[in-house]
Amino acid sequence: MKQDTPAPDGRSVRWEAHRIERRSALIKAARRAVHTLGAQASMEEIAAASGTSKSVYYRYFGDKSGLQQAMGEVVINQMQDKILAAGRSADSPRSGLRAMVSAYLQMAQTSPNVYAFVTGSAGEAPGISEPGVAVALSHFFANISEMMDHAVQAYLEGHDTGSLTQAAAGFWPIAALGMVRAAGERWLATPAPDRPSEAEMTDQLTAWLFDGIGWDTPGRQTREA
């Protein structure tokens, strides 16, 4: 005997849609507040800057960690989409890597406070984020690493390399990501007069990743001790 599936309650559907919309609006408001106030802003400060009460944020996100996770998912997904799009639009492995590094630095530079808030790169333990954000970051780096791995393999196909180089190449994307992230966070924290421009930093990181630091460049003049 056929059983009829109960129709969804219209009020429940409308309430869920309202809740999703309200949650999105709170994340956007919190993002603007953190951009202005800094990564160490409290929930009370964020709520006040957003024109609402702290209890509203607690109702939707539980606590500051929940807000960090929710904002992190949005920001990290936006960064991932822009970086992957930059890599896909390039016409060579090197230009693809440069485009990805540039996109990463540009996104981080747009709001260092928001970047530090969602990645946990501010405070006493740089780079340590909440578990939910750590998962989002893990997926982010895995996706970026996969694209970089394809670029490395394409680059090596045009060069005469040994089996050891081929095997070690698999470690290059994660090492490259670690360097770009660490250097990028140090770059963001460096005062403007002593900090290279985004374009200069992008060029330098790309050169380091593809060419090394350059101490053994052929023809380099060395001074006698």
Side-chain angles (χ1 to χ4, degrees), residues 13-209:
V13 172
R14 288 193 297 272
W15 168 246
E16 183 59 26
H18 168 76
R19 182 176 175 81
I20 292 172
E21 183 179 349
R22 177 62 170 152
R23 192 173 187 272
S24 178
L26 288 170
I27 292 172
K28 290 179 180 178
R31 187 172 178 174
R32 290 193 296 268
V34 170
H35 174 79
T36 302
L37 299 172
Q40 304 292 353
S42 67
M43 286 287 274
E44 188 170 2
E45 291 171 328
I46 291 171
S50 302
T52 188
S53 67
K54 183 170 61 174
S55 62
V56 171
Y57 271 99
Y58 279 117
R59 186 186 317 142
Y60 278 86
F61 304 102
D63 55 17
K64 188 174 179 179
S65 297
L67 176 61
Q68 183 194 26
Q69 177 176 343
M71 193 190 303
E73 290 171 352
V74 172
V75 172
I76 291 166
N77 284 336
Q78 288 177 348
M79 289 183 71
Q80 175 177 293
D81 290 346
K82 184 169 183 177
I83 292 170
L84 292 178
R88 293 190 190 101
S89 66
D91 56 6
S92 71
R94 187 180 187 115
S95 63
L97 177 64
R98 189 193 183 285
M100 293 170 74
V101 171
S102 179
Y104 172 79
L105 293 180
Q106 286 178 26
M107 291 288 286
Q109 189 182 32
T110 298
S111 181
N113 289 335
V114 171
Y115 176 88
F117 184 81
V118 302
T119 63
S121 60
E124 297 179 358
I128 304 301
S129 55
E130 295 299 324
V133 179
V135 171
L137 278 172
S138 177
H139 291 160
F140 166 76
F141 286 120
N143 290 331
I144 303 300
S145 178
E146 182 179 2
M147 173 172 273
M148 292 176 72
D149 185 57
H150 290 319
V152 171
Q153 295 304 323
Y155 178 80
L156 291 177
E157 285 175 3
H159 296 75
D160 185 15
T161 57
S163 58
L164 179 59
T165 299
Q166 291 285 348
F171 298 96
W172 186 88
I174 194 65
L177 282 171
M179 188 177 87
V180 171
R181 182 182 180 187
E185 290 177 2
R186 180 69 177 268
W187 173 71
L188 287 175
T190 301
D194 301 319
R195 186 172 70 188
S197 68
E198 180 271 315
E200 291 169 338
M201 195 66 200
T202 296
D203 287 340
Q204 187 63 80
L205 283 169
T206 304
W208 285 340
L209 291 169

